[in-house]
């Protein structure tokens, strides 16, 4: 038993998310530690602070971001070829496995410096281990009888966990990586490995879920899709030029696609719950919250607060046009969390979503017979659909 305060509305969140008092993660994250050790996501105090300072430039320096765009284009090309095969028959299919293989290839190449080949079904052992271990950790978080290490280690699920760990760590030891481009002299090989594992965890399933939901929203809102096709036509034209890779300038001009991505992340935030631990007593709405209390932030509900989003369940990308979002509380929209412990990969994630989605839109029309009401959601570590989103992909007419 431990005390929890849960946030379902943005009011008061500022006290928790900004400032430096509540930066440590709750015990729920402890089960990630055998895998991620104390990398950026799970560390705290001075270790977190110095790592964050060392890693941040990798996500802001122009030269590094341009290298990422090359990787994004290359892996997306392969993804589009694989999707094209499905476009030849008009049957609806679940795009998620193909999207997840693509985002895994992208983060591997960006973080580790070599291709893992998930899309080509190479290194299946590592790829399957990453998928399985995420599932196992989630099951453990929800099963108090599996919390004590000695019981977990004896149970079949614990033995599978350890087997996956061995495969994953043997693989990521080979990483020479993202951080190489940075101030590597500050980090030992073990330090680098825990960050690579962290990026593999945080950087592939989150974007895969976001891209899958966005495809579904595009497929089920044909008026939105038409506007997106128009935007692509304006940026890439029609004809020979429309096969060329995306440039950074192209990505910057995808304003409407950015609204669509943001609105999808509002309705379907990839990380539906964030949890911290109060490091000091604080006052919330006149109540004293004691140090040691777990703070659970229900991003999914915060994003559907009618006070900040009239008709909150309606998919309306225009909410993110500059004139409509002006004045909205920054704590009413937190798909990447907020404050100094926010998502370090958010720029990368947005670039990735834009490259993959624009490449799909340039070639195809997406359709679905399902509505958002048909999708049963499961709030695991990542927000997923229990019912598969079935989408058909047809070559674009113009
Ligand atoms: C749509 C995609 C993404 C979403 C919605 C997302 C969301 C988040 C959220 C909510 C957090 C805070 C988690 C917490 O406090 O428990 C976070 C942290 C983090 N994310 Fe992301 N993320 C995405 C993509 C990425 C990518 C692509 C990378 C890597 C390239 C990444 C790397 C990280 C890392 C390392 C942290 C920990 C940061 C720290 O504690 O200093 N994320 N992300």
């Amino acid at each position: 038993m431990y005390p929890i305060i849960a946030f379902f509305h943005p009011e008061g969140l500022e006290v928790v998310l900004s400032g430096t008092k509540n930066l440590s993660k709750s015990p729920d994250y402890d089960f990630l530690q055998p895998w991620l050790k104390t990398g950026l996501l799970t560390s705290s105090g001075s270790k977190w602070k110095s790592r964050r300072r060392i890693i941040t430039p990798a996500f802001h320096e122009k030269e590094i971001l341009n290298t990422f765009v090359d990787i994004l284009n290359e892996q997306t090309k392969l993804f589009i070829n694989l999707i094209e095969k499905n476009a030849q028959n008009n049957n609806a299919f679940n795009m998620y496995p193909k999207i997840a293989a693509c985002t895994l290839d992208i983060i591997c190449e960006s973080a580790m410096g070599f291709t893992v080949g998930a899309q080509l079904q190479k290194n299946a052992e590592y790829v399957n281990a990453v998928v399985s271990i995420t599932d196992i950790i989630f099951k453990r978080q929800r099963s108090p009888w599996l919390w004590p290490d000695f019981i977990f280690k004896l149970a079949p699920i614990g033995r599978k966990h350890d087997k996956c760990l061995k495969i994953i760590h043997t693989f990521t030891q080979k990483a020479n990586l993202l951080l190489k481009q940075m101030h590597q002299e500050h980090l030992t090989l073990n330090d680098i490995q825990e960050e690579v594992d962290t990026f593999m965890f945080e950087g592939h399933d989150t974007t895969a879920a976001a891209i899958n939901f966005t495809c579904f929203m595009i497929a089920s809102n044909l008026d939105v899709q038409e506007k997106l096709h128009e935007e692509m036509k304006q940026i890439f034209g029609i004809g020979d030029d429309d096969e060329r890779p995306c440039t950074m300038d192209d990505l910057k001009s995808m304003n409407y696609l950015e609204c669509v991505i943001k609105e999808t992340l509002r309705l379907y935030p990839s990380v539906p719950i964030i949890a911290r631990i109060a490091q000091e007593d604080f006052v919330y709405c006149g109540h004293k919250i004691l140090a040691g209390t777990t703070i659970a932030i229900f991003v999914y509900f915060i994003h559907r607060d009618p006070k900040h989003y009239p008709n909150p369940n309606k998919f309306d990308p225009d909410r993110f046009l500059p004139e409509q979002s002006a004045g909205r509380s920054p704590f009413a929209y937190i798909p990447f969390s907020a404050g100094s412990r926010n998502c370090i990969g958010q720029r990368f994630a947005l670039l990735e979503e834009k490259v993959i989605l624009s490449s799909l839109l340039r070639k195809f029309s997406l359709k679905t017979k399902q509505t958002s009401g048909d999708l049963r959601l499961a709030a695991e570590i990542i927000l997923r659909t229990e019912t598969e989103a079935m989408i058909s992909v047809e070559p674009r007419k113009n």
Side-chain angles (χ1 to χ4, degrees):
M1 289 271 279
Y2 53 90
I4 299 185
I5 171 170
F7 282 82
F8 293 93
H9 303 281
E11 284 68 37
L13 259 188
E14 197 171 347
V15 186
V16 177
L17 289 178
S18 36
T20 52
K21 285 186 184 149
N22 301 309
L23 293 179
S24 293
K25 300 298 170 72
S26 76
D28 305 86
Y29 293 67
D30 290 353
F31 301 131
L32 287 165
Q33 287 201 11
W35 176 13
L36 311 182
K37 313 257 174 36
T38 43
L40 201 56
L41 179 73
T42 39
S43 58
S44 55
S46 58
K47 176 167 180 182
W48 170 76
K49 214 169 160 185
S50 85
R51 285 287 170 85
R52 180 90 188 194
R53 193 174 37 77
I54 293 169
I55 299 173
T56 295
F59 293 96
H60 292 93
E61 281 169 19
K62 209 172 149 202
E63 203 183 303
I64 302 178
L65 286 175
N66 281 335
T67 316
F68 288 153
V69 173
D70 291 343
I71 297 172
L72 292 174
N73 274 314
E74 184 199 322
Q75 293 296 346
T76 302
K77 197 169 167 200
L78 185 53
F79 169 73
I80 295 292
N81 287 342
L82 295 170
I83 292 290
E84 214 149 30
K85 295 199 177 121
N86 283 79
Q88 282 157 9
N89 59 46
N90 272 343
N91 296 340
F93 67 105
N94 175 15
M95 292 175 80
Y96 187 80
K98 285 195 169 55
I99 296 173
C102 178
T103 59
L104 189 60
D105 277 346
I106 287 170
I107 194 65
C108 273
E109 200 170 338
S110 312
M112 297 205 259
F114 57 85
T115 311
V116 67
Q119 298 196 83
L120 298 172
Q121 274 144 39
K122 291 187 187 155
N123 292 307
E125 205 185 26
Y126 172 72
V127 173
N128 293 338
V130 169
V131 174
S132 302
I133 204 164
T134 315
D135 266 5
I136 293 172
I137 293 168
F138 176 70
K139 278 192 191 119
R140 189 176 184 195
Q141 281 178 337
R142 297 286 168 277
S143 318
W145 58 94
L146 293 174
W147 290 358
D149 280 339
F150 74 97
I151 295 180
F152 183 65
K153 281 199 173 303
L154 289 174
I157 188 172
R159 291 206 296 273
K160 186 167 178 205
H161 173 270
D162 288 354
K163 205 170 143 203
C164 292
L165 262 192
K166 203 162 164 219
I167 296 169
I168 290 173
H169 284 154
T170 310
F171 192 85
T172 50
Q173 246 162 21
K174 292 188 275 181
N176 62 18
L177 107 97
L178 154 126
L179 307 173
K180 194 172 87 178
Q181 294 138 318
M182 307 184 299
H183 314 273
Q184 199 182 339
E185 68 273 16
H186 296 289
L187 300 171
T188 66
L189 285 177
N190 283 343
D191 293 341
I192 291 175
Q193 194 184 359
E194 66 187 13
E195 294 308 345
V196 169
D197 284 318
T198 297
F199 280 86
M200 296 309 300
F201 168 68
E202 270 293 321
H204 100 276
D205 234 5
T206 45
T207 34
I211 293 167
N212 195 42
F213 278 116
T214 313
C215 286
F216 183 78
M217 296 322 278
I218 293 173
S220 51
N221 291 273
L222 296 181
D223 52 332
V224 168
Q225 185 165 170
E226 206 172 296
K227 281 196 201 169
L228 286 169
H229 278 149
E230 201 47 51
E231 184 168 87
M232 294 309 128
K233 239 191 275 174
Q234 273 176 15
I235 297 173
F236 297 100
I238 311 171
D240 297 344
D241 206 29
D242 79 357
E243 293 275 328
R244 68 174 172 80
C246 295
T247 63
M248 198 56 111
D249 282 341
D250 296 331
L251 296 168
K252 279 188 199 143
S253 47
M254 295 177 187
N255 298 324
Y256 188 61
L257 180 57
E258 187 163 323
C259 292
V260 171
I261 291 170
K262 286 182 170 165
E263 174 67 345
T264 308
L265 274 173
R266 179 184 74 82
L267 288 170
Y268 304 106
S270 311
V271 180
I273 303 166
I274 300 170
R276 299 271 176 90
I277 196 107
Q279 283 166 281
E280 286 180 10
D281 296 354
F282 68 94
V283 176
Y284 170 66
C285 293
H287 301 283
K288 188 173 173 189
I289 311 295
L290 298 179
T293 302
T294 291
I295 304 164
I297 302 164
F298 286 84
V299 180
Y300 180 90
F301 292 104
I302 288 169
H303 283 180
R304 290 175 188 241
D305 184 336
K307 193 168 151 202
H308 299 272
Y309 299 101
N311 199 357
N313 296 330
K314 183 172 185 267
F315 177 71
D316 177 9
D318 289 354
R319 294 182 204 270
F320 288 94
L321 292 173
E323 58 275 20
Q324 288 203 32
S325 39
R328 185 179 297 140
S329 158
F331 297 96
Y333 187 67
I334 50 166
F336 297 104
S337 187
S340 52
R341 197 106 209 217
N342 64 358
C343 174
I344 199 171
Q346 56 183 293
R347 270 183 86 179
F348 182 97
L350 194 57
L351 291 178
E352 181 171 349
E353 284 208 52
K354 281 185 171 176
V355 172
I356 295 180
L357 291 163
S358 66
S359 304
L360 272 172
L361 285 158
R362 284 160 73 183
K363 286 225 147 198
F364 306 113
S365 297
L366 307 182
K367 301 220 168 99
T368 182
K369 290 194 173 125
Q370 293 166 309
T371 65
S372 45
D374 295 326
L375 296 186
R376 268 176 66 92
L377 301 180
E380 300 182 3
I381 296 179
I382 304 291
L383 187 71
R384 297 181 191 284
T385 53
E386 255 174 21
T387 359
E388 293 175 348
M390 301 298 282
I391 296 172
S392 62
V393 176
E394 294 167 17
R396 238 180 92 177
K397 303 268 173 350
N398 60 46

